[in-house]
């Protein structure tokens, strides 16, 4: 897609024109703003390939900058900039303009990610690459993807279908109006690192230049200029990281993704039904244990990869089997041993309440207690889920029925770091294979060694726009 033409569209609201009756609840705010209106600068970075390609509509407006003078009903000035994430020139131009706007320090700066769950972290990564001071902005979302779980969590809904509909872009202006009065809250970010053995790697479904879906290994260029498979995968996580059945379904769906939301929904449903008969892998087939640390020296303990150090300084070990089925008795230490009651097909690390089509799977009445001590007694003392408490929820699902209804097994809560240890195939010619998902992006994983989930070291949290309760519909 060609870059949108860089020009401005001034949409002025003349104060002398007829105005609707003022809302008495906002009289004080309006009277203050009339004398000294707040000034906002919004940057929208749209992903035209998210979901059913709704993000392309923003880019196809052909307008990169719009100015709303004395924006109703809040009496503020709003400047809007729209950029295409898939167009490198447009994206770089937007990041440069964003950085310059922050350096000027004259307006309140907001950044909106137009796309799905993966788009949010894409925008964050781009801001870091362009050295944008993220601590000085507030991030929001426009739900244009498939799952839109982060958007649901922040109150912006599951899908925005009327974004540019209505007279004079009423849908877009209504969204800006809600952004202006939104609450600002911190939002935790996590880091997922996956290490593979030499015979392994990470594969993803990509769209070729000929609009065909292909499966390719993730590659990088080494110091000698040779292209090699990535054996250490690293990605920021805002919503969730999962292993198992749900990621396998999503990976197959990506091979047939289309521009139609309805068709995508039907395709995902069919792939889920089909996989439920052909994919019977349990997490015990590829995971040996899940470990967590709280010691200040946790990073050195993880790097040492020694069970004795874990036993001395670890917080807990989750064994993916019932206590009575463990082949050897754990050593007697201060490290807590936790056992999983049921055979699980999905292991999930959760930072937000919504998952599996927007279901609240942690605090829901459908959620079950899925972990026990060595005596078989259930652990029940869990706190409510919160996206800015520095705590990660660990859950599991047994079968497609539990996944589709949101009937989760609550396993544990921890501030991490958490290490997932994988089994290794006896033959390098036939490596262990499974799938994982991070914030709506699906991958195939071959010969994994371990996965580490920790608070993002360089960006532990961001500020986000949360829709006010009194404006939610």
């Amino acid at each position: 897609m060609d870059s949108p033409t860089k020009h401005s569209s001034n949409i002025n609201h003349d104060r002398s024109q007829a105005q609707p009756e003022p809302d008495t609840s906002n009289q004080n705010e309006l009277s203050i703003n009339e004398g000294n209106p707040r000034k906002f600068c919004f940057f929208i970075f749209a992903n035209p390939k998210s979901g059913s390609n709704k993000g392309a509509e923003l880019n196809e407006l052909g307008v990169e900058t719009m100015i709303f003078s004395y924006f109703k009903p809040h009496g503020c000035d709003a400047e809007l900039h729209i950029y295409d994430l898939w167009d490198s020139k447009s994206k770089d131009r937007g990041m440069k303009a964003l950085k310059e706007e922050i350096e000027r320090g004259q307006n309140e700066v907001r950044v909106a990610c137009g796309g799905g769950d993966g788009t949010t972290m894409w925008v964050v990564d781009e801001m870091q690459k362009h050295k944008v001071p993220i601590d000085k902005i507030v991030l929001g979302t426009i739900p244009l993807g498939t799952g839109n779980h982060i958007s649901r969590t922040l109150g912006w809904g599951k899908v925005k279908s009327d974004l540019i509909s209505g007279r004079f872009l009423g849908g877009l202006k209504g969204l800006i109006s809600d952004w202006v009065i939104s609450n600002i809250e911190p939002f935790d970010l996590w880091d997922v690192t996956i290490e593979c053995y030499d015979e392994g790697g990470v594969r993803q479904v990509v769209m070729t230049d000929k609009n065909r879906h292909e499966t390719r290994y993730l590659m990088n260029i080494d110091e000698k200029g040779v292209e090699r498979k990535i054996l250490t995968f690293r990605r920021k996580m805002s919503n969730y990281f999962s292993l198992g059945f749900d990621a396998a379904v999503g990976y197959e769906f990506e091979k047939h993704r289309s521009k139609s939301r309805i068709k995508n929904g039907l395709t995902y449903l069919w792939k889920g039904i089909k996989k439920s008969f052909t994919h019977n892998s349990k997490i015990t087939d590829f995971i040996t244990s899940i470990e967590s640390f709280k010691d200040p020296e946790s990073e050195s303990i993880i790097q040492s990869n020694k069970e004795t150090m874990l036993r001395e300084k670890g917080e807990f070990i989750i064994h993916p089997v019932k206590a009575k089925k463990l082949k050897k008795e754990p050593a007697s230490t201060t490290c807590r041993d936790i056992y999983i009651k049921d055979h699980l097909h999905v292991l999930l690390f959760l930072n937000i309440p919504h998952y599996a089509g927007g279901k609240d799977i942690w605090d829901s009445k459908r959620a079950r207690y899925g972990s026990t001590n060595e005596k078989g007694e259930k652990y029940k003392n869990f706190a409510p889920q919160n996206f800015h408490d520095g705590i990660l929820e660990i859950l599991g699902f047994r079968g497609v029925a539990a996944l589709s209804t949101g009937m989760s097994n609550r396993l544990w809560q921890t501030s991490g770091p958490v290490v997932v240890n994988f089994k290794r195939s006896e033959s390098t010619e036939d490596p262990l294979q499974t799938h994982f998902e991070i914030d709506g992006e699906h991958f195939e994983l071959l010969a994994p060694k371990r996965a580490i989930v920790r608070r993002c070291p360089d960006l532990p949290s961001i500020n986000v726009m949360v829709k006010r309760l009194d404006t939610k519909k």
Side-chain angles (χ1 to χ4, degrees):
M1 181 184 298
D2 294 335
S3 299
T5 305
K6 187 177 182 180
H7 62 278
S8 299
S9 174
N10 291 282
I11 304 176
N12 296 305
H13 296 273
D14 190 343
R15 301 186 191 190
S16 64
Q17 292 178 351
Q19 305 246 348
E21 289 295 322
D23 184 347
T24 56
S25 63
N26 289 326
Q27 276 186 340
N28 292 333
E29 178 183 349
L30 289 172
S31 63
I32 293 173
N33 287 335
E34 285 181 6
N36 184 24
R38 295 171 67 188
K39 295 182 179 180
F40 287 85
C41 194
F42 296 99
F43 288 80
I44 296 178
F45 291 92
N47 181 355
K49 298 186 179 181
S50 283
S52 53
N53 298 69
K54 293 292 292 185
E57 295 181 2
L58 279 170
N59 298 324
E60 290 167 359
L61 283 172
V63 178
E64 197 168 87
T65 301
M66 287 182 279
I67 299 173
F68 301 90
S69 298
Y70 193 61
F71 189 76
K72 302 175 185 176
H74 311 298
C76 65
D77 292 340
E79 189 173 307
L80 181 68
H81 304 273
I82 303 174
Y83 299 96
D84 186 342
L85 274 174
W86 278 91
D87 186 315
S88 59
K89 292 182 179 179
S90 176
K91 177 186 63 181
D92 292 345
R93 189 165 61 246
M95 290 295 167
K96 181 181 178 182
L98 171 61
K99 187 176 180 180
E100 291 174 349
E101 183 63 39
I102 294 173
E103 290 173 349
R104 278 194 292 269
Q106 298 177 353
N107 302 319
E108 297 184 49
V109 181
R110 305 282 189 269
V111 173
C113 310
D117 294 320
T119 302
T120 303
M121 286 299 96
W122 184 5
V123 172
V124 170
D125 284 338
E126 290 295 335
M127 287 192 292
Q128 286 193 299
K129 289 177 184 177
H130 289 79
K131 301 187 184 306
V132 175
I134 301 177
D135 59 322
K136 295 183 179 180
I137 66 169
V138 182
L139 203 68
T141 63
I142 305 175
L144 302 175
T146 303
N148 300 315
H149 293 106
I150 190 171
S151 178
R152 298 171 196 248
T153 299
L154 302 182
W156 302 107
K158 60 181 180 179
V159 64
K160 189 67 177 176
S161 59
D162 60 345
L163 189 60
I164 62 173
S165 64
R167 191 179 183 186
F168 304 122
L169 302 177
L172 182 58
K173 289 194 287 186
L175 189 58
I176 296 172
S177 178
D178 287 338
W179 287 344
V180 168
I181 61 172
S182 62
N183 296 322
I184 300 175
E185 296 184 22
F187 190 99
D188 296 335
L189 294 184
W190 299 81
D191 177 279
V192 178
T193 302
I194 301 177
E195 301 171 1
C196 298
Y197 292 105
D198 291 342
E199 66 270 21
V202 178
R203 293 196 290 211
Q204 188 175 24
V205 178
V206 298
M207 179 72 76
T208 67
D209 295 336
K210 297 181 179 180
N211 289 326
R212 294 180 179 177
H213 295 93
E214 288 187 2
T215 300
R216 295 179 181 176
Y217 277 102
L218 299 185
M219 312 289 286
N220 63 4
I221 307 296
D222 65 14
E223 62 278 2
K224 297 181 179 180
V226 179
E227 191 176 47
R228 299 184 184 277
K229 291 187 300 182
I230 290 177
L231 297 179
T232 301
F233 172 96
R234 191 168 185 178
R235 186 71 59 90
K236 288 185 179 66
M237 180 198 89
S238 60
N239 300 353
Y240 51 81
F241 164 53
S242 72
L243 290 154
F245 174 80
D246 61 330
V249 173
Y251 188 78
E252 289 301 313
F253 160 74
E254 293 293 350
K255 298 178 182 178
H256 304 277
R257 182 190 285 272
S258 71
K259 295 182 180 181
S260 168
R261 180 176 293 275
I262 295 176
K263 185 178 179 180
N264 283 339
L266 293 173
T267 301
Y268 195 93
L269 177 63
W270 167 242
K271 292 298 179 182
I273 295 173
K274 186 178 179 180
K275 273 290 182 182
S276 65
F277 290 101
T278 61
H279 182 97
N280 295 315
S281 176
K282 303 179 182 65
I283 65 171
T284 50
D285 295 333
F286 55 88
I287 291 176
T288 59
S289 64
I290 305 147
E291 309 167 351
S292 180
F293 303 86
K294 274 192 174 180
D295 191 274
E297 302 175 3
S298 60
E299 290 298 324
S300 61
I301 297 174
I302 291 171
Q303 293 303 321
S304 71
N305 200 25
K306 293 181 179 179
E307 184 176 348
T308 54
M309 293 186 71
L310 167 71
R311 286 290 177 182
E312 292 173 0
K313 298 187 177 182
E315 177 194 7
F316 68 79
I317 301 178
I318 295 181
H319 306 278
V321 294
K322 295 181 180 180
K324 63 182 180 181
K325 292 187 177 181
L326 195 65
K327 293 183 179 180
K328 61 178 182 179
E329 287 294 325
S332 177
T333 66
T334 57
C335 179
R336 179 177 295 178
D337 287 283
I338 301 169
Y339 304 89
I340 296 177
K341 288 174 69 268
D342 297 324
H343 294 295
L344 302 179
H345 298 84
V346 175
L347 180 66
L348 176 67
F349 298 85
L350 193 67
N351 185 48
I352 61 174
H354 295 99
Y355 186 72
K359 300 176 182 65
D360 186 337
I361 60 172
W362 180 262
D363 296 323
S364 169
K365 293 181 180 179
R366 290 180 175 272
R368 299 180 295 183
Y369 300 110
S371 58
T372 73
N373 59 18
E374 66 279 2
K375 298 179 181 179
E377 299 167 335
K378 296 179 183 178
Y379 288 109
K380 297 183 179 181
N381 190 24
F382 296 126
Q385 202 281 334
N386 193 313
F387 58 74
H388 54 77
D389 60 359
I391 300 296
L392 199 64
E393 282 70 41
I394 306 178
L395 310 90
F397 288 95
R398 180 178 182 177
V400 65
L403 190 61
S404 61
T405 59
M407 189 179 295
S408 64
N409 284 27
R410 286 176 284 195
L411 303 179
W412 206 252
Q413 290 177 298
T414 178
S415 58
V418 181
V419 179
V420 180
N421 296 303
F422 294 93
K423 295 181 177 180
R424 188 175 189 181
S425 176
E426 295 180 358
S427 171
T428 58
E429 300 295 325
D430 184 25
L432 184 146
Q433 177 185 357
T434 186
H435 296 83
F436 71 94
E437 177 182 4
I438 298 179
D439 294 347
E441 290 191 76
H442 307 91
F443 303 86
E444 184 180 25
L445 182 60
L446 289 87
K449 181 180 180 181
R450 61 181 181 171
I452 305 169
V453 186
R454 54 165 75 85
R455 282 294 293 276
C456 194
D458 57 336
L459 190 64
S461 65
I462 54 176
N463 291 320
V464 295
M465 293 186 286
V466 180
K467 192 170 185 180
R468 278 173 40 172
L469 292 173
D470 54 357
T471 63
K472 291 182 181 180
K473 298 179 181 179

